[in-house]
Structures are given as structure tokens and as C-alpha cells.
Amino acid sequence: MLLSNTVGNLDWMILQLLFREDATVDDLIDVIEGNRKYMKCIYVYNKIDVIGIDDVDNLAWQPNSVVISCNLKLNFDRLLAKIWEEMGLVRVYTKPQGQQPDFSDPVVLSAVCCIPFCLSSYL
């Protein structure tokens, strides 16, 4: 809803917006400007072997976060799984007709591209 009026030399406008999500002022500016593109990210915290368990626990529960230790090679499997999850990657195993699939050489695709790829390979 937009209301506009002029009183003397003052122009004023009241703009009422309805948000269907929990948006911030920055989100509104980004929509109006239309020149921003946000990408997903993962916060990776290293050196968990030198801080206390309470600090590690607090970091691990933060959104989009993974705690690792490069020195002790801890939690690399969780980091890899989080990367695959956030990027939406899937493994597709192909096979010639009438043979067993080759599980040693998958095709890695974005989940969005998976269905068209599978349909084109099947047909």
C-alpha cells in the first residue's frame, strides 16, 4: 500500500510492505537494487584440537558450520558430506544395457541436472 500527499513544501510517502518471510532491511535493499547475488557458504573452523570442548560444541551448533582439525585430521568426512549437501551433488552410476553398473566411476551432478541427464541417458 502506498500513500502519498503534499503538505505545503513537504512531500511525504508512506509505504507498507508485506513480507512472507523473515526479511531484514538489507534484504529489502537487495531486492530493490537488484544487483546482489548471494551464494551459500560453509564456515569451517580449524584447530579444534587446541580449544576447549565447550567452545567446539558452540561452534559446531552454529548454522552452516563445520569444525575440523587439519593437524589431527578430525571431522574431514563431515566437512565433505556438508559440501556435497550444500552444493546439492549426487553420484549417478551409469551402465551399459544388460550389464552391471560400474560403481568405481560415477558421474557427479547437481541434483537439479540429474533428472534431465538420466532421461537423456535412458532414451
Side-chain angles (χ1 to χ4, degrees):
M1 177 167 98
L2 179 63
L3 298 174
S4 178
N5 200 354
T6 302
V7 177
N9 291 337
L10 299 174
D11 290 334
W12 57 273
M13 210 181 293
I14 297 174
L15 179 62
Q16 181 179 4
L17 298 172
L18 173 65
F19 289 101
R20 299 197 186 276
E21 63 182 61
D22 188 19
T24 65
V25 173
D26 292 331
D27 295 332
L28 174 63
I29 293 169
D30 295 345
V31 168
I32 293 170
E33 291 290 324
N35 60 357
R36 310 244 188 345
K37 178 162 174 98
Y38 292 95
M39 300 175 68
K40 293 181 179 180
C41 73
I42 300 172
Y43 300 101
V44 180
Y45 297 98
N46 188 20
K47 299 193 178 199
I48 61 169
D49 53 321
V50 296
I51 62 175
I53 191 70
D54 292 334
D55 295 328
V56 172
D57 190 50
N58 288 336
L59 290 172
W61 282 101
Q62 298 296 318
N64 302 319
S65 297
V66 178
V67 293
I68 65 168
S69 171
C70 289
N71 189 32
L72 298 178
K73 297 181 174 64
L74 295 175
N75 220 17
F76 286 169
D77 54 343
R78 176 68 189 122
L79 175 60
L80 184 61
K82 185 74 169 177
I83 291 170
W84 275 71
E85 174 188 326
E86 289 298 320
M87 293 183 70
L89 298 177
V90 294
R91 289 182 184 94
V92 177
Y93 298 95
T94 61
K95 69 178 195 84
Q97 193 169 11
Q99 295 182 11
Q100 293 295 321
D102 180 12
F103 290 111
S104 65
D105 192 24
V107 178
V108 177
L109 297 171
S110 168
V112 175
C113 300
C114 186
I115 293 173
F117 172 80
C118 292
L119 289 175
S120 69
S121 297
Y122 181 73
L123 299 176

